[in-house]
Structure formats: C-alpha cells, structure tokens
Amino acid sequence: MATEFHNLQELRHSASLANKVFIQRDYSEGTTCRFQTKFPSELESRIEQTLFEDTVKTLNNYYAEAEKIGGQSYVEGCLACFTAYLIFLCMETRYEKVLKKIAKYIQEQNEKIYAPRGLLLTDPIERGMRVVEISIYEDRGSSGSSSGSSSVSGSTTR
Amino acid sequence: MPGGSDTLKPSAFIPVCTAACLLVGSTSLYFVFTCPWLAVTICPAVPPCSAIIFLFVLANFTMATFMDAGVLPMGDEDEDKDDEFRAPLYKNVEVKGVQVRMKWCASCHFYRPPRCSHCSVCDRCVEDFDHHCPWVNNCIGRRNYRYFFLFLLSLTVHMIGVFTFGLIYILHHMDDLWALHCTVTLVVVSISGLFLIPVLGLTGFHFYLVSRGRTTNEQVTGKFQGGVNPFTRGCCNNLEYLVCSPIPPKYTARPCKKTVIHLQPPFLRLEIERKKQIKVRDNGIQSRDKVAVESSNVKQLKTPPPLPPKPDHEAISRGSSPIPPEKVTFILTLAQFHFRVILIKPLPYINVFSYVAQLLKTSDNQDNNKGPNHCLESKESPVRSSHQPGMLFQPPLHTSMVPGPLQHNSLTLNSRSLTLKNSGRYGSKSQLPAMHVDGLGCNPPPGIIANPSLIANHGSSSLSYDNLMHPADPQLIMQRGVPPVSYHPHFMTVGTDGPVLRKSPQAYSPVFVGITRQSPHLQDSLRDLLPPDATPPRSAAARYDNFSKTIMASFHERRELEERDRILRLQARSHALYGDMGIYDIPCRRSLPPDNNRPPGSRGPTPPAYGSREFLMSTGILGYGMRSAPLSSSSTSSLTRGPKTIGSPLQSSSSSSLQTRGRSSSPGYCPTERPNPSLASSTSTIPRLSSSTASSATPHTSYATMKRSSLQYSSERKDSVTHGAPK
C-alpha cells in the first residue's frame, strides 16, 4: 500500500487540515435540536451557500423528526414501562434509528459534496449535539514526502 | 473499593446503598410477613399489585441510577482556540424571545447550552441538569429525569401502600403485637412511615417543577423566579413531554463505526474572487492592492490600476506645497467615511458628490493650468475670477454649461448646479461637469477635493469621477493628461458604490440624509452651502485640513437649511390636507377634528417653540414620533393614520427613516418616553410624552428635539466613522 502511493507521490497533492468551522446550535425555539443555517464566512470560497444550507436544513429536519412527540414515542414509552425497560435491551429507540439515518446522510454528503471541496462534516453527535464541525482542508501542493494523498477517517456511529 | 480516586469515592455509595437496602429489605419483609395475611383477609390482588408497583420502583430506580443523564462530551481544543483568553465568560442567546446566558465551562471547554450545568460531583456538564441525587448516586438530567420522576412517583405509591396495609395488619393484630409477624410489620410500617414524609414532599416538589417546566437547578438558583421561563410548554405539555418524549441518545461512549473518506486535492473552489474583493474593500484605503481589486469591481471601469501615491503627491503639489502622503491619506479617509455615509442614503435632488467632484476637478484643472495658488486664491475669495469658466473643461462641457454669471461664489455655482441637477437628474450629465466651475475653490470637502483633483489628473481616476457623476465624460477624461493618481481608489471606492448611486437617480447628498427628496428650494438652501468663511493657509496640508472642518460645517448648515425647507413644505402640504395631519406639523393640530379629546393642559395649537428652527426640525426629524405630548390617544391614532392617508411615500419613508434615526440617535429623547399601548407599533415613537405631562411636555419636547437634532449630527458623524472603520 505504501509503495503504491510512493510511486505517485510526485503526482499527488496532499491535503492538510487548515481550519475548522463550528456551526452552532440554534436555540431560538428552545432546546430542541436545531442548527444555525447562517453561512459561515470561512466557507464562502469553498462551497456554495445553497448546498450548505440544504445540508443543515436536512439535518434539522432529521433531528426534528427524531424528537417529535407523537404516536411512536407514546408506544415506545408505554412498552418500556410495561416491560420494566427491558425492551431497551432488545429494541433500538426511534431516536437511535434517526441518528443512524443522519450518520448515513452525513457520510453521503461528505463523499459527494464536501470532500471534493476539501471539507469534512463531523456528525454533531460526537460533539454532544452542540456544534456541527466542518473541517477545512487545504491543498498543500504536490509533495515529495511520503504523505501521499490524505485519507481522512470520519467516524460515524453505528 | 479503594478510596480517594476521583470517580469512585466510597462515601458516595453510602446513600445509594442505604436507599437500596432499605427499599429492597423493607419490601421483602413486607411481602414475606404481611402480604399472606392481606391476601387472605383483604384481597388476593393486594400482593400482586404491590409486586408490580415494587417492580416499577426498582426499574426506575435502576434506570435513574445507571442511565447516563446526558453528559456532554468535552469540547475539542479546536473549538476554543479563540476562546481561551479573549472570549467572554457569558454568551447571550435568545430562546423564544428570552435572553438566556450561556456560561463558558472551563472544565469542559465549551459554552454550556441553555439549561446545561456542570455537576461538581461528576465533574461533567450535563444537559438539562436537574440535580445530583445522592440516593441514586447519579446526576439527574435530560435523559434520566423521567425515570427519576417515575421512581419518586412509584416509590410514593409503594410506600403509601406498604404503610397502609401494614397499619391494617397491625390494627388487626393488636393483641399479638409482639409476635414475629407483627413486630416485623411494625418495623416496616415505621420505616415506610418515616421516609414517606420526605419522599412525598420531594414528589410534590417535582410535580410542581414539571408543571412549571423548570429544573431543580433553575428553581433553587431562582433563574425564572420573576421572569418568563422560555422552556416551559404549559403544564399539560410539560407532563406529556416528561413521559412521552423520545429518549435522547447517549453522547459519550458511543459505539463508533469508522468510515474512511478520501480527500483528494485539488479541491473544487468557488469562483467568487470578486466577492472576496468586495469584502476586502470595506476599508479600502489601506492598500493599493485592495484598491486595485476594488477598481476591478466597478463594472464600467476600464481603468488601468492606480499608481502609487507618489505621483499623486506630485500632482497635487505641482502648484502647491507638498503634502505628506499620510496626511492626504488621512484626509481622504475622512472623506471616504463621509462618502460612505452618503452612499447609504442616497437622496434625489442633491448630487453633492457630483457637485464637489466637479468643484475639485475644476480646481484641479485650475491647478494644472493656473499654478499653485490658483486654488487657494479661488478658495479664499468667493468671488471667482472670470477666467474660471474658461477652465479646462472641454467645449462640450462649456457648451452645456449654463451660461450666466459663473459667479464667483459657490452659492451661485451651487444653485446653478442644483438647477441643472434637478432639471436633468441623470439626463444632464454633460451639464453636470460644467456646473462646478465656479464654486470649486470654495471649501470643498477635503477628501472629496483631493480625490477628484487627483482623479482629474488621472485617466483612471476620471472613471471614478465618472462613477460618481455618470457614465463618463470621455472628453473630460481625455483632457487630463496628468499622471494617474492612486488616491482615486478611495474615490473610486465611493464610486464603486456608484452602481448604488446610479441606480437611484437620487442624489447622494451626505448632508441631507434621511431628508425628503424633493427640494424646490435647492437654490436657496444651497446658497449657504459653502460659506466662504475659511481663510486657507498657504500650505496645502493646512488647506486640506481647513477644508475638512469647513466642509463639515457647511454640510451641517446645509442640512439644517434643508430640514427647515422640508418642514415648511410639509407643513404647507398638511395645511392643505385638512385634518390629515402632516407628520411634521405639530402646530397643525389645531386643525384636528373637534371631537378629539385633548386632555386639559395639553399643548395648544401654538406651542411656544412653534416656528423655531429646532422645533420644526425636530418635528420633521422625528416624524410623528415626537408629537406625543399634547395628543390624546384618539388624536395620536388619527395621527397614525395621517401618513397613510397622505399616502405619500415621501412622508412614510422619510418618517420611517427619521423615526429610525430618531430612535437610535436620541438619548435625550429617551427619558421622555412613556409607554402608550394604545398606539400601533408603527407609531411607537409617538406617545413618548404622556398627555398628563403636557405642561411639562413642551420643554421636554424642545429639549428632546434639540437634543435629537444635535444627536443626529453626532450620530451621523459616528456613522461615518464607524463605516470607515475596518470591518
């Protein structure tokens, strides 16, 4: 693996983490999970505003769906009560299911939109749902060192 | 377990162990010794029900003890890289209209979200922190508050049941009290009775908290004692949220699945170079690079990039003593600030920019051709030499020039220019340049002067000039053979806003910001525009300094005059519209319908200040904001309708602009404010003076209005400064 990259070093550019932008929570409607859709100035040259806003709005919609008090949450609560909460050992809560969907969405966004632009979204759950972290990577130019292309591991929840 | 470790202190487990032992032990004894008799004597369903309730208690107790309360993971160091030393301790955030403070948590390295608090026992921030319960040895927070509450509830029910049935048992075995069964039941009843009181109290307390939508922490710290709790959803919804809301996920120790994303440069970039440059140009004086960038933003520009300052300096100083570049820059900076203020609020009828630009251009041409002292001389004397007209403007300009006394003072020039301006708006572009032949020497604003003169020397600068005026006068451009000047960027910056200027055929009068558009009395008002009072010293630097002061003074005077004119016109108009009170016409209240209930002592139709300049200006400036004193609610409501009936965008827009300005710029105004809920919000500035204080209202009004006028000036100054500040 290293040798593969080694031959291509001269042709490859390497990316390095330049900056991180934090999209803060929008508390204007209480403690329900929403993120601000304000377009950060650091991303102005990196990504279109509409794409960014779409991402954040979709995330907000996901979280709103997860936190919705409705039929499914009633059923879950009653079931949990009657089984003395043993149901949690077997079943995944609705919130966790939505979190999985969010993780998949974020990965898809990263692969399709953000990574080609040198950006990386981090799942807010890793930050306690306080911020959406966007890492900005810069092209350091082709390097002769052994770094090669950079692969960034994004950790997502199972 | 070993003691002394941070997280595992033996002493912390004592309460929870005690609670667990008491609970399980007592209940077990109850089931063993009491329940058989109960099942037989009272009802066979008693033991199963008790068992179910006890199971519920245990489950909730377990969940409350072992469930993560919503502990927030610590912040990354990247998050607070800017925050460590310079960040404020608190950040304010608005939650449903209520300001909530977020405190910086030094341990966890983030600003605590609303309702989040740091638990000193657990040494972590917990979301929706309620309290740290020693009986479960756990924080109670967002994720486990439900289980804690249900634990309390079920424990209360269970304890009441145990106490009641035990008592029944004892009462039935009074004669055999010292038998084993009885003794044990007695002990169980005592324990349950003893702990029932505090548990019942705690349950009732939490019921109260839930109904109010507060946490224990908020209740104990008195956060929402007197104010509004933005987190409550109403009693029923709070209960529903408590019981039925989805369980939030755990933030810490999540099972992670690592996915690899490849970042392969080169990355896509947006083509927003221009945008960047626009942003950069906020304080465009700073560097040539920025200036060059700015210039590229101007659509009409085909100019070469501006030259370094030195040539400008030389150009300026050709006929005058050298000006240190820094000084010129400073002056230009000031001018630019004023320009920026101007540009924000374009006005239709006075193109001061064009006027001044013309003046400067003329003076520059004068400089070029007439020698160093020309400008000074012309500036000194309002009376222009007659050779001025013969100045450097090309025939096209001359032909378009209004013939007539290229008079000698700026006043005449001004009026002519204004007449031309008014007549042509943007149509008479060729006329515009011709206008300023005369008055150029009379105290033009320093920066403006400097720039256009410099610009005049420069082909590229002429473009900025053109931006101001109109799409260029090629003749003008061609005439200038002087080496380009780099200060024009500032001018160009202004001119770069030219598109803004251009779009509105209105003028960009800095002086008359916020004042209504039409001014038929331009000629009159402009007569006072540039009072030739300054005696410029010989040095160019000093000249520029004087220009700045004089220009500001002249601007203010001109503005006052315009205010007065406008108010007079509006009064005339409002008089014409009977009963339709002009916004600016307090005295016309005498024309109010007679059924208006004017409170006694309210200001009559002829307040003493009526007719005074400050009063008129203030009434005009304040719109109908200041008309509160003598007005009753009915009159103010009709006053509210006034602008609408008039229906002129002039008044409504100018009144709104004035209102805004008034609101923002008048601390002297504020003390006189009184709430008057009867008025619509659009007229919220109106009822500042209650009718009950009518007698004192007049001096208040006068004071406030005078203060407001002065404050407006000062605010405009401030605006100009702040606009010029680097953003």
Side-chain angles (χ1 to χ4, degrees):
Chain A
M1 196 81 156
T3 48
E4 283 178 30
F5 289 137
H6 197 77
N7 294 333
L8 301 168
Q9 270 168 29
E10 302 77 26
L11 304 176
R12 284 192 191 271
H13 293 233
S14 57
S16 63
L17 180 62
N19 198 5
K20 281 190 184 181
V21 182
F22 297 98
I23 312 298
Q24 298 291 333
R25 278 271 293 267
D26 174 14
Y27 292 109
S28 59
E29 291 175 21
T31 48
T32 53
C33 188
R34 274 180 63 88
F35 289 97
Q36 292 179 0
T37 50
K38 189 169 75 82
F39 189 57
S41 52
E42 292 92 336
L43 297 180
E44 270 181 5
S45 62
R46 304 301 297 256
I47 190 169
E48 291 88 346
Q49 184 170 353
T50 48
L51 287 175
F52 170 81
E53 283 180 0
D54 282 345
T55 306
V56 178
K57 282 178 186 164
T58 310
L59 283 177
N60 286 341
N61 289 338
Y62 273 122
Y63 287 119
E65 179 200 333
E67 294 184 353
K68 195 169 62 132
I69 300 176
Q72 194 173 355
S73 61
Y74 287 140
V75 168
E76 249 180 29
C78 290
L79 211 57
C81 253
F82 294 148
T83 62
Y85 309 116
L86 294 172
I87 198 78
F88 293 138
L89 299 172
C90 324
M91 198 184 78
E92 201 176 57
T93 65
R94 182 159 140 249
Y95 212 121
E96 293 280 349
K97 285 186 192 146
V98 176
L99 282 181
K100 275 194 180 168
K101 278 203 271 185
I102 289 170
K104 209 166 22 163
Y105 172 75
I106 286 178
Q107 177 166 7
E108 175 207 332
Q109 289 280 295
N110 273 333
E111 283 168 0
K112 289 190 186 158
I113 295 174
Y114 288 83
R117 290 166 170 80
L119 303 171
L120 208 62
L121 283 178
T122 304
D123 199 330
I125 195 75
E126 297 174 28
R127 300 283 177 263
M129 308 267 267
R130 289 180 300 105
V131 289
V132 176
E133 186 180 308
I134 302 179
S135 310
I136 302 174
Y137 289 85
E138 290 291 346
D139 181 1
R140 268 204 317 227
S142 59
S143 68
S145 68
S146 56
S147 51
S149 74
S150 72
S151 303
V152 179
S153 301
S155 57
T156 60
T157 59
R158 196 183 313 152
Chain B
M1 63 195 71
S5 77
D6 283 342
T7 51
L8 290 174
K9 281 186 194 152
S11 57
F13 290 91
I14 293 173
V16 63
C17 289
T18 310
C21 289
L22 277 175
L23 179 67
V24 173
S26 308
T27 310
S28 307
L29 291 174
Y30 166 80
F31 276 122
V32 166
F33 292 97
T34 318
C35 279
W37 182 85
L38 291 169
V40 166
T41 316
I42 302 193
C43 180
V46 167
C49 289
S50 297
I52 289 170
I53 294 172
F54 178 62
L55 216 58
F56 201 58
V57 172
L58 274 184
N60 286 303
F61 179 75
T62 310
M63 293 294 271
T65 304
F66 295 109
M67 191 164 197
D68 186 303
V71 171
L72 293 169
M74 289 214 181
D76 254 0
E77 55 278 359
D78 298 325
E79 244 183 286
D80 63 353
K81 62 181 185 311
D82 294 327
D83 289 341
E84 279 297 351
F85 302 110
R86 288 187 308 274
L89 187 58
Y90 293 100
K91 245 195 219 175
N92 276 332
V93 77
E94 195 167 290
V95 179
K96 291 184 184 170
V98 177
Q99 288 286 326
V100 172
R101 230 169 39 168
M102 301 203 309
K103 191 176 176 185
W104 172 260
C105 185
S107 314
C108 303
H109 304 290
F110 51 74
Y111 283 97
R112 293 180 197 146
R115 306 198 102 180
C116 168
S117 192
H118 190 90
C119 176
S120 51
V121 178
C122 307
D123 196 26
R124 297 296 289 273
C125 272
V126 175
E127 203 176 4
D128 286 9
F129 178 76
D130 193 87
H131 67 286
H132 183 94
C133 184
W135 304 107
V136 298
N137 192 31
N138 196 15
C139 272
I140 307 299
R142 184 177 176 206
R143 293 185 77 230
N144 62 356
Y145 182 77
R146 175 192 315 184
Y147 308 116
F148 176 77
F149 182 82
L150 290 175
F151 164 67
L152 282 181
L153 205 60
S154 55
L155 185 65
T156 309
V157 171
H158 178 67
M159 287 170 85
I160 288 173
V162 166
F163 180 79
T164 309
F165 290 122
L167 208 59
I168 292 173
Y169 181 92
I170 287 171
L171 292 175
H172 276 88
H173 292 83
M174 289 296 282
D175 48 351
D176 196 15
L177 215 50
W178 301 115
L180 180 65
H181 289 208
C182 263
T183 313
V184 167
T185 308
L186 205 58
V187 168
V188 168
V189 165
S190 317
I191 292 172
S192 62
L194 194 66
F195 286 99
L196 182 63
I197 312 296
V199 170
L200 199 62
L202 197 60
T203 309
F205 175 66
H206 278 273
F207 250 117
Y208 169 78
L209 290 183
V210 167
S211 69
R212 298 298 292 266
R214 295 181 197 166
T215 62
T216 306
N217 183 264
E218 287 162 0
Q219 175 69 26
V220 163
T221 54
K223 258 186 203 161
F224 304 118
Q225 213 68 355
V228 178
N229 183 359
F231 304 108
T232 184
R233 304 155 194 244
C235 182
C236 294
N237 285 336
N238 287 339
L239 281 166
E240 183 197 36
Y241 178 79
L242 169 78
V243 178
C244 306
S245 68
I247 297 144
K250 195 164 62 164
Y251 300 132
T252 53
R254 290 189 68 81
C256 285
K257 183 180 77 168
K258 283 212 176 275
T259 57
V260 178
I261 298 171
H262 289 267
L263 283 173
Q264 177 63 48
F267 301 128
L268 300 175
R269 293 282 185 138
L270 278 190
E271 291 299 318
I272 56 165
E273 298 309 321
R274 281 175 186 267
K275 273 194 226 169
K276 248 191 200 163
Q277 291 162 357
I278 288 173
K279 279 183 79 74
V280 165
R281 106 172 124 125
D282 282 348
N283 197 6
I285 290 178
Q286 300 330 357
S287 69
R288 285 200 302 284
D289 296 336
K290 286 191 190 173
V291 164
V293 163
E294 293 162 21
S295 65
S296 72
N297 281 328
V298 181
K299 306 294 191 285
Q300 303 85 358
L301 282 190
K302 298 170 184 84
T303 30
L307 290 184
K310 287 235 161 157
D312 310 333
H313 186 187
E314 290 162 6
I316 298 169
S317 61
R318 195 174 315 133
S320 52
S321 49
I323 307 165
E326 306 77 28
K327 193 155 188 80
V328 181
T329 307
F330 170 71
I331 295 167
L332 295 174
T333 308
L334 282 180
Q336 191 200 13
F337 294 166
H338 293 303
F339 280 180
R340 292 184 68 83
V341 172
I342 292 163
L343 293 175
I344 287 166
K345 303 183 187 188
L347 291 176
Y349 65 96
I350 293 175
N351 187 346
V352 174
F353 269 11
S354 53
Y355 158 68
V356 174
Q358 294 285 354
L359 293 179
L360 293 173
K361 202 169 60 150
T362 310
S363 80
D364 174 70
N365 287 328
Q366 292 176 3
D367 276 341
N368 293 340
N369 299 307
K370 312 256 171 193
N373 294 327
H374 179 77
C375 281
L376 293 176
E377 288 165 359
S378 57
K379 188 168 90 73
E380 285 164 356
S381 70
V383 178
R384 285 299 187 93
S385 53
S386 56
H387 62 261
Q388 283 185 12
M391 263 199 293
L392 323 158
F393 288 92
Q394 287 306 319
L397 299 173
H398 279 277
T399 52
S400 60
M401 270 168 55
V402 173
L406 289 181
Q407 251 14 315
H408 323 295
N409 49 33
S410 53
L411 311 176
T412 318
L413 171 71
N414 296 343
S415 41
R416 181 170 4 111
S417 66
L418 289 166
T419 339
L420 286 173
K421 182 67 178 155
N422 280 335
S423 63
R425 287 286 161 101
Y426 271 76
S428 58
K429 35 171 158 170
S430 58
Q431 291 173 342
L432 285 174
M435 280 190 262
H436 311 300
V437 171
D438 294 317
L440 185 59
C442 298
N443 306 332
I448 302 174
I449 292 174
N451 272 334
S453 62
L454 297 175
I455 291 165
N457 296 331
H458 188 204
S460 61
S461 64
S462 70
L463 287 175
S464 59
Y465 170 80
D466 293 332
N467 290 336
L468 258 195
M469 310 297 297
H470 286 298
D473 280 298
Q475 297 88 354
L476 283 176
I477 298 169
M478 280 155 31
Q479 292 157 24
R480 306 185 190 105
V482 186
V485 172
S486 77
Y487 288 119
H488 85 271
H490 315 310
F491 200 66
M492 279 169 64
T493 308
V494 170
T496 315
D497 297 335
V500 174
L501 296 175
R502 283 172 203 267
K503 280 175 207 155
S504 63
Q506 314 343 50
Y508 342 103
S509 166
V511 175
F512 300 102
V513 172
I515 296 182
T516 59
R517 304 213 180 96
Q518 270 114 57
S519 171
H521 310 295
L522 286 176
Q523 304 179 6
D524 300 329
S525 50
L526 284 175
R527 249 169 227 136
D528 303 331
L529 173 63
L530 297 173
D533 50 354
T535 305
R538 282 294 175 169
S539 83
R543 172 179 72 164
Y544 284 121
D545 282 337
N546 282 340
F547 282 170
S548 63
K549 293 176 202 151
T550 328
I551 286 300
M552 285 310 302
S554 64
F555 276 167
H556 288 318
E557 287 189 40
R558 184 177 171 183
R559 183 181 173 186
E560 291 181 9
L561 288 163
E562 281 303 313
E563 280 279 359
R564 193 197 308 170
D565 290 334
R566 187 182 51 79
I567 291 160
L568 287 169
R569 285 194 304 283
L570 287 167
Q571 285 182 354
R573 191 181 304 135
S574 62
H575 276 291
L577 300 164
Y578 178 87
D580 200 3
M581 291 169 288
I583 299 171
Y584 311 100
D585 186 18
I586 291 182
C588 270
R589 279 193 220 110
R590 80 186 78 192
S591 60
L592 283 174
D595 58 349
N596 272 353
N597 297 327
R598 189 160 302 199
S602 67
R603 199 190 316 170
T606 53
Y610 173 54
S612 72
R613 192 178 93 175
E614 292 80 9
F615 181 87
L616 291 172
M617 283 174 58
S618 65
T619 56
I621 290 166
L622 304 175
Y624 45 84
M626 274 306 292
R627 314 194 46 188
S628 54
L631 293 181
S632 66
S633 55
S634 58
S635 58
T636 48
S637 54
S638 59
L639 175 64
T640 310
R641 290 195 298 271
K644 292 177 191 163
T645 358
I646 293 174
S648 98
L650 172 78
Q651 283 193 338
S652 48
S653 60
S654 52
S655 65
S656 59
S657 66
L658 289 170
Q659 268 186 338
T660 311
R661 291 171 59 77
R663 277 193 215 106
S664 61
S665 69
S666 177
Y669 187 52
C670 295
T672 65
E673 292 182 4
R674 304 279 189 276
N676 189 340
S678 64
L679 288 183
S681 60
S682 65
T683 59
S684 58
T685 56
I686 294 183
R688 294 297 160 76
L689 302 173
S690 64
S691 51
S692 59
T693 62
S695 55
S696 60
T698 306
H700 278 301
T701 308
S702 308
Y703 165 74
T705 57
M706 288 165 65
K707 199 101 193 290
R708 175 171 274 196
S709 350
S710 60
L711 283 165
Q712 278 189 327
Y713 293 142
S714 57
S715 69
E716 190 166 316
R717 267 189 198 266
K718 271 182 262 169
D719 283 346
S720 58
V721 172
T722 53
H723 280 297
K727 289 184 190 157

